[in-house]
Amino acid sequence: MLRKICALTLLTTSVLSAGNAMAADKLIVSTWGGGFKDLIDETIAKEFTKETGVEVQFVTGGTIDRLNKAKLAGGSPETDVTFTTAHVGYLYANSGLFEKLDMSKIPNAANLVQQARVSPYHLGVWGYVYTIGYRPDMVAKGETFESWNDLWKPELKGTLALPDWDPSHIIAVSAKLSGTDAAHWEQGQAKLKALIPNIKSFYTDDANSQQLISTGETPVQVMLSMNAYHMIAEGVNIKLVMPKEGAVLGVDTIGINKGTSKADLAYKFINIALKPETQQQVAKIYHGSPTVTNAHIDPALAKLPGMLTTPEQWNATINTDPQLRAEKTAEWRQWFSENIMSH
């Protein structure tokens, strides 16, 4: 009887140990939901699991919501790896939430474009632009957008949508049109205020942006290029243009959560994200611009507006320093809310 009890105890212990091992054998990734989570799952996570046998689990949410959760978690992070924007990545790093990266463990990072070498704590995994997207079937016939100044045309009254969570794109544009840059953004405030009559709505997230332009409620948007191409693939008549002053550069990044017990797996995940084959998939599936120079992109894809595949294209963008954006985010959002969104 005693032997039976001992055997049962051993069996129970071994089942629990196996269960704990399986639970531990997961990499938990913080990212956005929707198409971006699916993109990461299809490309990076799939290859990671294939190479390591380790399952990837996702925790999703908005950019700032996830940052706030990470701050609350402190040194006991809920996730091991975090995808975020270049400037919000600085907010993680400045709050002690990202590990300083050991670049010797990310050999594929040797091929990163300069704009993706964001900081010692986070690296770019794909690029994109915020630019003018519009419905040619819902604006005046022959309407063109050769310059950002065209958004201020009186004929576009009540047609425009902007993102509500990040005014940095239109702030950088207004500053440039006023003869300066985002570091001296105050000089563009009058230009921004002059845009108010043309603004119809402020979209809250990517899904809301897609809804507003697909229904025609806002036939003109300052729009994420990757979202525009997603909508075009679904049959929505959208034209994406590159203004002569340049589109506004964006880079999504990845970092390792400080305090994770799975740093080695996290490094493998990042290195897989920067493989040229992975980057090629990201470009093909979701029109994200590769951040490594050795990714080979189909020529038909590479020539699309907003795709960045050469140093000249990367350098032609309006590129606001992510560290400056991080420092100014709160100030910009408050001013924008009080002076633009409240009207």
Side-chain angles (χ1 to χ4, degrees), residues 35 153 156 180 195 222 231 241 248-249 266 279 334:
K153 288 180 179 178
L156 296 178
T180 186
L195 186 61
V222 174
M231 297 301 292
V241 295
V248 180
L249 178 66
Q279 295 269 306
Q334 181 177 351

Side-chain angles (χ1 to χ4, degrees), residues 22-43:
M22 286 176 68
D25 216 18
K26 285 181 182 176
L27 188 75
I28 304 177
V29 173
S30 169
T31 186
W32 307 272
F36 285 99
K37 179 257 183 187
D38 294 340
L39 173 68
I40 295 163
D41 197 15
E42 277 184 63
T43 56

Side-chain angles (χ1 to χ4, degrees), residues 11 17 70 85-86 95 108 114 145 149 153 209 247 254 319 322 343:
L11 178 62
S17 298
T85 58
S95 299
N108 287 326
Q114 187 57 45
F145 294 88
N149 268 315
K153 288 180 179 178
S209 164
I254 191 168
N319 183 13
H343 290 274

Side-chain angles (χ1 to χ4, degrees), residues 102-153:
D102 181 348
M103 299 303 286
S104 69
K105 295 181 179 180
I106 316 171
N108 287 326
N111 298 303
L112 281 169
V113 299
Q114 187 57 45
Q115 291 86 344
R117 300 174 185 272
V118 183
S119 85
Y121 300 88
H122 62 312
L123 303 173
V125 283
W126 56 71
Y128 49 84
V129 295
Y130 271 87
T131 192
I132 300 170
Y134 71 101
R135 293 281 302 271
D137 56 327
M138 300 191 74
V139 297
K141 189 175 181 180
E143 184 68 81
T144 60
F145 294 88
E146 296 177 1
S147 166
W148 281 105
N149 268 315
D150 292 333
L151 289 183
W152 276 258
K153 288 180 179 178

Side-chain angles (χ1 to χ4, degrees), residues 203-221:
Y203 58 83
T204 55
D205 54 28
D206 295 330
N208 189 209
S209 164
Q210 294 170 15
Q211 177 192 23
L212 287 171
I213 201 163
S214 64
T215 61
E217 185 175 343
T218 58
V220 184
Q221 286 190 9

Side-chain angles (χ1 to χ4, degrees), residues 27 44 48 80-83 101 103 105-109 112 121-125 254-257 263-275 278-279:
L27 188 75
I44 306 166
F48 173 81
D80 306 302
V81 171
T82 292
F83 285 87
L101 296 171
M103 299 303 286
K105 295 181 179 180
I106 316 171
N108 287 326
L112 281 169
Y121 300 88
H122 62 312
L123 303 173
V125 283
I254 191 168
I256 297 175
N257 292 99
D264 287 342
L265 287 173
Y267 277 111
K268 288 179 183 177
F269 188 86
I270 294 176
N271 199 49
I272 287 169
L274 300 181
K275 284 177 66 173
T278 307
Q279 295 269 306

